[in-house]
Amino acid sequence: MTEAFEDVGDVVRRFDAEDYLLDFGTASALYLAAALRRPLLLEGEPGVGKTTAAKALATVLGAPLIRLQCYEGLTANEALYDWNYQRQLLTIRLAESRGDGLTEDDLFTEEFLLERPILHCVRYRGPTPPVLLIDEIDRADDEFEALLLEFLGEASVTVPELGTFTAEHHPVVVLTSNRSRDLHDALRRRCLYHWIDYPEPVRAAAIVRRTVPAAAAPLIEHATRFVGRARELDLDKPPGIAETIDWVSALAALGVADLVRDDAIQSLSALAKTPDDRTIVQDAFADYAHGLATG
C-alpha cells in the first residue's frame, strides 16, 4: 500500500484543495495517523471542525467514510455487530416444517451476521482502506470504550461464535470528543492525540471567506473579530467556527455588508444558542457595532 501523503505540506495542500484550511499542528496529526495507521483522537470545543476534518480526510484520500455517531446507551450490537434474529427465526421454523434438525452452530454463521460500522470497517475489502469516524466518543457510556480497545489496538473484532476478524489493511480511524467527560487512559494510550483550538482571527476570516464567498470582506473581518471577543464572555456555549460560518451566512442572506447596520442584530440567533447567551452577546454586539460606527 502506498503512502497516503508525501509529507505534512502535502496534507495542507490537498485539504486546501477541498476548501479546508488546516493549521500545521492538525495537518501533522492527520499525516501521522495516515502514515502510521494509528487511531487519532481529536479533541476541542464544539464547532472547531473536528468532524469536518475526518470527512475531508476521507475525501482527499479517495476513501469511503464509515461513520459511527456515539450517544448515551450505545451498545456493541449497534457499533460492532449483531445477529439477524428474524432470519434465524425463519430458518428455525422452516427447519421444523421440514423435520430437519438444527444446532446452535447452524444459526450463528456468517450468513446471519449483521455488520455494524466497526466490523464493516474491519471486513472492508475495497482498493482503499476506509476512514472510520467515531464521532463524539465522549457522549457514549464509559463501558462502551472497553468495547473499542481490541479494534483500536489491533484493527480486529472478535465474534465469539465465529472467531476474530482482522483488517487486511489498517483503516484510518478518527475519534472526536468535545470533552463532556474524561476518556479512559486505556483508550487514550491506543491513540495519537491532537487538540484543535479555535483558529486565530486571520485564519478564521480565511475559512469563512472560503465557505461564504458571497459575504463582503468588511463583514467577514468584523464578524470574525467579534466572535473572538464573544468567546471571552461568560457564555454557556461559546461560538465556534461553525457558528461563525452560520452567522456570516445569515448576515449575507439578510443583505448585510457590515455590522454597522441596525438589522445585523436580527441574526444573532445563529451565534448565541441559549436565552442567557443571547442577552450577553446582544449587549456586547451593541457596544462592538457602536464602536465600528463611531471609530
Side-chain angles (χ1 to χ4, degrees):
M1 184 175 56
T2 59
E3 292 295 332
F5 299 106
E6 296 177 4
D7 50 30
V8 176
D10 185 37
V11 180
V12 174
R13 289 188 294 271
R14 290 167 66 177
F15 269 70
D16 181 74
E18 297 297 328
D19 284 335
Y20 190 106
L21 299 182
L22 281 174
D23 62 278
F24 188 80
T26 305
S28 298
L30 292 169
Y31 172 76
L32 291 174
L36 302 177
R37 296 290 158 169
R38 287 282 306 280
L40 172 63
L41 173 60
L42 293 178
E43 286 194 323
E45 298 295 338
V48 294
K50 303 181 294 295
T51 299
T52 308
K55 292 179 178 179
L57 179 62
T59 299
V60 301
L61 292 178
L65 175 70
I66 300 174
R67 180 173 181 172
L68 173 62
Q69 179 64 51
C70 297
Y71 54 88
E72 186 177 354
L74 182 64
T75 66
N77 292 345
E78 297 161 309
L80 278 69
Y81 67 90
D82 201 356
W83 295 102
N84 191 332
Y85 296 112
Q86 290 184 332
R87 188 171 182 181
Q88 287 173 324
L89 182 59
L90 290 173
T91 300
I92 292 171
R93 289 177 176 174
L94 182 60
E96 289 175 346
S97 67
R98 293 175 175 175
D100 297 335
L102 282 178
T103 67
E104 186 174 321
D105 291 341
D106 295 322
L107 295 173
F108 290 92
T109 65
E110 289 202 37
E111 178 185 359
F112 301 100
L113 185 65
L114 296 176
E115 295 181 351
R116 300 310 187 200
I118 294 178
L119 182 60
H120 176 51
C121 181
V122 167
R123 285 162 57 94
Y124 185 80
R125 294 295 183 263
T128 304
V131 171
L132 175 64
L133 168 60
I134 303 177
D135 209 13
E136 298 183 308
I137 180 62
D138 53 318
R139 289 184 177 272
D141 300 326
D142 292 0
E143 294 78 6
F144 179 73
E145 292 181 43
L147 298 174
L148 296 179
L149 298 183
E150 178 187 14
F151 169 72
L152 294 176
E154 304 168 20
S156 62
V157 172
T158 296
V159 180
E161 297 84 354
L162 298 176
T164 299
F165 297 94
T166 302
E168 287 185 356
H169 301 290
H170 279 222
V172 181
V173 182
V174 178
L175 302 90
T176 72
S177 168
N178 296 324
R179 295 212 70 178
S180 62
R181 67 171 178 84
D182 289 333
L183 302 177
H184 287 279
D185 289 343
L187 183 141
R188 290 183 177 274
R189 284 197 303 268
R190 286 164 171 79
C191 300
L192 303 174
Y193 177 81
H194 181 67
W195 173 269
I196 299 183
D197 209 343
Y198 293 119
E200 67 278 5
V202 173
R203 192 163 68 88
I207 292 170
V208 175
R209 193 174 300 113
R210 289 283 189 95
T211 313
V212 195
L219 173 63
I220 293 174
E221 178 186 352
H222 294 152
T224 52
R225 189 185 305 166
F226 173 73
V227 171
R229 295 186 181 183
R231 294 190 190 114
E232 300 174 359
L233 302 174
D234 185 22
L235 300 178
D236 293 331
K237 300 183 182 300
I241 190 65
E243 286 75 24
T244 309
I245 292 170
D246 287 344
W247 185 38
V248 174
S249 298
L251 289 164
L254 291 170
V256 176
D258 203 350
L259 297 184
V260 296
R261 271 182 47 171
D262 293 339
D263 57 354
I265 201 169
Q266 300 172 5
S267 63
L268 290 179
S269 59
L271 196 63
K273 301 303 177 70
T274 71
D276 289 342
D277 282 0
R278 181 176 174 82
T279 299
I280 296 171
V281 169
Q282 187 169 313
D283 291 343
F285 178 78
D287 292 340
Y288 182 73
H290 178 72
L292 290 177
T294 59

